[in-house]
Amino acid sequence: MKVLLTGSAGFIGSHVAEALTEAGHEVAGLDLRAGADVRDGAAVDRLMPGAEVVVHQAAKVGLGVDVADLPDYAAVNVYGTAVLLAAMARHGVGRLVLASSMVVYGEGAYDCAEHGAVRPAARAEDDLVRGFFEPRCPRCGAALTSASIGEDAPMDPRNAYATTKLAQEHLAANWARETGGVAVALRYHNVYGPRMPRDTPYSGVAAIFRSALEAGRAPRVFEDGGQRRDFVHVRDVARANVAALDAGRPGTLAAYNVASGEPHTVGEMAAALAAERGGPEPVTTGEYRLGDVRHIVASPSLAGKELGFTAAIGFGEGMREFARAPLG
């Protein structure tokens, strides 16, 4: 199968390119690093002929620094996706695999001892200042217990990146309905692994911790380190993209959590990396960022059932490798 892969030279995209090639597919790469911008319709048109499926990884990532980032997020993630989908329609390419994200959910799933399953509002800054980091029940104000979130959860994006990733899903669904195409959105959870970008304001927490350790600094863990996440290895994410090539139904968008199914806290991740590198040990700072969510834990069961995808790289194995793997 001929695959047009956007973001092919990026952290995740480069691993997807390798996995596609190993699976016997022909890969045509489109990447800003090679001078091809997904927002450039002419550049996309030059690469689209002959493609049977588009795997769309290109995106501006991270939570953003402030509202000044909004135009770039909208331009790359929303407009760029619109340009790509329009080109697919022009060239009769009827299958899309979209790199989405768990950030579309906002906070994860929670249970209240009194009221059962609830979706909390954004955490109040007054609580964060006082060091109370757990979301409260929207009905009684009590602390909650986190639960696994499924693909049918309501969408609740809480920052610019999240909003644009959800917009990508909506655009892909529009394209599928109007063209009869097949769209699959892979909602990546916290991806880490070799070639992850180094510490920048837009980096993921794993890269920030790893960069600090490499420089001999203690990783600075925000809040109390108890934030629960699902850390999924980039090679598993690449395998999920290969598995998604034949998934979905015409005229629809299907979404899947891509996760390990083995949640850990941010503090545990920092401690694992520090131990593998021989220190220094992490420092818990109590700092916070508005827009961050407390817990987001995935249920990967639907991907297992419908894509045949199950993560193969466990937390311990992955952190041992990542502690000394080359960064991007």
Side-chain angles (χ1 to χ4, degrees):
M1 187 181 297
K2 182 176 178 181
V3 180
L4 174 57
L5 172 63
T6 74
S8 56
F11 163 48
I12 297 175
S14 63
H15 287 276
V16 173
E18 291 172 357
L20 289 168
T21 301
E22 289 170 4
H25 300 290
E26 177 186 353
V27 179
L30 185 156
D31 196 280
L32 192 60
R33 297 166 183 80
D37 193 325
V38 72
R39 295 168 291 184
D40 182 346
V44 175
D45 278 333
R46 286 194 295 271
L47 291 167
M48 191 70 73
E52 298 166 79
V53 58
V54 171
V55 177
H56 184 27
Q57 304 290 322
K60 182 176 177 65
V61 300
L63 298 183
V65 175
D66 54 39
V67 294
D69 284 325
L70 288 173
D72 279 348
Y73 277 103
V76 176
N77 297 353
V78 182
Y79 179 69
T81 299
V83 169
L84 183 70
L85 293 170
M88 291 176 67
R90 284 195 299 275
H91 291 270
V93 180
R95 185 172 288 274
L96 172 72
V97 178
L98 170 67
S100 187
S101 171
M102 55 89 173
V103 296
V104 299
Y105 297 120
E107 282 285 357
Y110 290 87
D111 293 320
C112 172
E114 182 176 353
H115 298 108
V118 295
R119 294 300 303 276
R123 295 178 293 171
E125 188 166 12
D126 286 348
D127 281 343
L128 299 175
V129 168
R130 293 196 299 267
F132 185 84
F133 301 117
E134 295 295 331
R136 296 179 182 271
C137 176
R139 298 179 62 184
C140 68
L144 301 170
T145 302
S146 68
S148 294
I149 198 162
E151 290 83 354
D152 57 352
M155 302 293 98
D156 187 18
R158 297 189 176 183
N159 55 61
Y161 174 62
T163 299
T164 59
K165 295 308 287 185
L166 183 56
Q168 287 183 321
E169 289 198 17
H170 287 319
L171 288 170
N174 296 157
W175 165 84
R177 283 192 296 269
E178 293 182 24
T179 66
V182 177
V184 175
L186 301 178
R187 292 176 180 160
Y188 302 160
H189 284 251
N190 287 66
V191 186
Y192 73 96
R195 304 198 289 267
M196 194 173 191
R198 292 181 180 274
D199 183 6
T200 77
Y202 305 94
S203 293
V205 67
I208 292 171
F209 292 165
R210 166 59 205 280
S211 295
L213 288 162
E214 193 170 50
R217 302 190 308 270
R220 294 175 59 82
V221 180
F222 279 18
E223 301 185 15
D224 60 0
Q227 309 94 303
R228 296 176 74 230
R229 299 288 189 270
D230 190 305
F231 299 100
V232 58
H233 196 281
V234 67
R235 288 197 297 274
D236 280 330
V237 170
R239 289 177 45 247
N241 276 270
V242 175
L245 292 180
D246 298 317
R249 294 183 293 107
T252 65
L253 178 139
Y256 300 94
N257 285 325
V258 175
S260 71
E262 184 185 350
H264 289 271
T265 68
V266 172
E268 288 170 344
M269 189 262 286
L273 289 175
E276 291 295 336
R277 291 192 65 93
E281 294 186 3
V283 175
T284 302
T285 69
E287 297 171 87
Y288 61 86
R289 292 192 304 178
L290 290 176
D292 278 356
V293 299
R294 179 62 174 174
H295 304 299
I296 176 73
V297 175
S299 170
S301 60
L302 188 64
K305 177 182 177 181
E306 297 189 4
L307 301 183
F309 167 76
T310 302
I313 300 173
F315 181 79
E317 175 189 355
M319 290 298 156
R320 281 191 294 276
E321 177 196 36
F322 182 57
R324 299 190 180 278
L327 298 180

